[in-house]
Amino acid sequence: MIIDGKAIATQIREEVKNKVRELTFRTGKNIGLAVVLVGENPASLVYVGQKEKACAEVGITSFKIALPADITQDSLAEKIEELNEDPSVHGILVQLPLPEHLNESAVIEKISPKKDVDGFHPLNIGRLVAGEETFIPCTPQGIIELIERSGFTIEGQEAVVVGRSNIVGKPVALLLLQRHATVTICHTRTRNLGAVTRRADILVVAAGRPRLVKADMVKEGACVIDVGINRVEGKLVGDVDFEEVKKKASVTPVPGGVGPMTVAMLLKNTVFAFEKSLEVS
Ligand code: NDP
């Protein structure tokens, strides 16, 4: 089976759209997302454009804050503080990576944890580790939705995550654990990767290595989520050998798998931020 991330993401966007309509009708308020873009990194420009378009489609107001590449750490912090105080802004996203002279962690820590729709603030990461309700980073949350909405059970299954980054590998492993999978995390020092991945009922690959996972590293009938985005000879390919693996397991394509889910989860997190703002006011 091919796990169609694009179709599932479309369904989620429709659900978000209905919820936005209901919430704005009930409260008389607009839901606002501020997208902060520093400089003109071409990939970031594309991602920001996709996010703005997705917001418009579901009725979320997006505010693009385009700042010069040479902005100082203090000026950027001031801008974020302004957005923290702005009642028309419910979610704040700082598009990464930032230019090298800026300290990314310090910038993320400036975002109010209540508006942290990317779920990267240390307070929200702590809550995620503790299993409390919080903002869940978009890509890991999208991966879980993909698995569940494709009809796979997580509880009791053997799950293997290849990659231990803070934005994908670690949080997705925590989410699988919360849903009662038995989780193993692999990385570059893992011995005999194939022997570990072959045990997986659920295999999540986020290594950033084109076609790292071959068919002989996958269990028959497994659910394989390919997070990787690699450009090889001008073509986008994942971390999984899609053509071979799809013959024996369910797998997400690249593009059209995890990517569309990430944007859909950003919309969901923005609605969550709005709902939380209603609770405190
Ligand atoms: P990082 O480079 O931060 O992390 C990669 C991880 O994979 C590291 O933990 C690394 O191990 C591990 N790894 C690399 N090579 C191997 C190997 N040969 N065997 C075992 N483990 C390996 O990447 P990210 O987590 O940020 O991203 C991973 C991929 O997902 C990228 O291709 C990225 O573009 C894509 N991505 C896609 C998104 C989407 O929306 N679809 C969103 C975010 C990322 P070690 O720690 O030992 O170095």
Side-chain angles (χ1 to χ4, degrees):
M1 187 179 95
I2 292 169
I3 300 173
D4 189 346
K6 212 169 155 193
I8 296 173
T10 303
Q11 188 188 334
I12 293 171
R13 281 152 82 142
E14 203 52 43
E15 290 166 16
V16 173
K17 190 174 174 175
N18 291 333
K19 192 154 191 187
V20 169
R21 196 181 297 132
E22 185 261 315
L23 282 168
T24 48
F25 177 75
R26 183 157 58 84
T27 63
K29 293 180 181 174
N30 280 327
I31 304 180
L33 173 69
V35 182
V36 179
L37 175 67
V38 182
E40 288 178 354
N41 176 320
S44 295
L45 279 168
V46 172
Y47 291 137
V48 166
Q50 285 172 352
K51 289 167 188 176
E52 286 182 300
K53 187 165 166 270
C55 281
E57 277 167 15
V58 299
I60 292 175
T61 309
S62 65
F63 306 98
K64 181 174 161 186
I65 322 288
L67 300 169
D70 61 356
I71 192 168
T72 63
Q73 187 85 29
D74 287 347
S75 305
L76 181 54
E78 260 172 46
K79 190 70 219 170
I80 291 171
E81 267 162 18
E82 255 174 54
L83 297 170
N84 285 342
E85 298 303 321
D86 185 340
S88 63
V89 169
H90 302 95
I92 302 171
L93 176 153
V94 176
Q95 185 64 46
L96 303 178
L98 291 171
E100 273 191 7
H101 69 282
L102 295 168
N103 177 339
E104 261 177 26
S105 311
V107 171
I108 290 166
E109 284 191 36
K110 278 281 165 207
I111 300 173
S112 162
K114 294 187 173 118
K115 298 192 177 187
D116 172 36
V117 285
D118 258 338
F120 293 159
H121 191 286
L123 188 75
N124 287 324
I125 295 171
R127 287 184 177 140
L128 176 66
V129 174
E132 291 165 13
E133 187 186 63
T134 184
F135 289 101
I136 298 169
C138 299
T139 301
Q141 190 184 164
I143 294 168
I144 299 295
E145 291 253 5
L146 263 184
I147 298 169
E148 290 181 336
R149 289 187 186 233
S150 306
F152 291 94
T153 306
I154 297 178
E155 183 170 338
Q157 302 292 313
E158 189 92 40
V160 174
V161 178
V162 182
R164 56 176 165 180
S165 72
N166 290 331
I167 62 162
V168 189
K170 278 184 210 160
V172 83
L174 282 166
L175 294 172
L176 289 162
L177 183 64
Q178 269 174 22
R179 285 162 180 75
H180 312 294
T182 303
V183 184
T184 307
I185 306 176
C186 303
H187 43 78
T188 52
R189 316 298 204 283
T190 300
R191 273 180 277 143
N192 199 349
L193 184 65
V196 185
T197 57
R198 261 192 300 279
R199 295 205 313 256
D201 303 304
I202 297 169
L203 176 61
V204 178
V205 192
R209 297 282 178 274
R211 302 193 186 99
L212 170 70
V213 172
K214 312 280 185 227
D216 65 356
M217 296 165 74
V218 174
K219 184 175 174 176
E220 192 88 37
C223 165
V224 182
I225 306 292
D226 186 354
V227 190
I229 303 176
N230 311 286
R231 197 168 279 280
V232 177
E233 292 161 4
K235 208 173 145 236
L236 285 188
V237 297
D239 290 353
V240 174
D241 186 351
F242 178 77
E243 290 305 327
E244 292 304 313
V245 170
K246 75 174 185 202
K247 294 177 188 161
K248 65 186 296 194
S250 297
V251 60
T252 55
V254 177
V258 175
M261 293 298 289
T262 298
V263 180
M265 294 304 119
L266 171 67
L267 303 174
K268 258 189 120 167
N269 280 354
T270 306
V271 172
F272 177 71
F274 179 75
E275 287 181 302
K276 286 277 146 204
S277 77
L278 296 176
E279 281 175 20
V280 291
S281 58

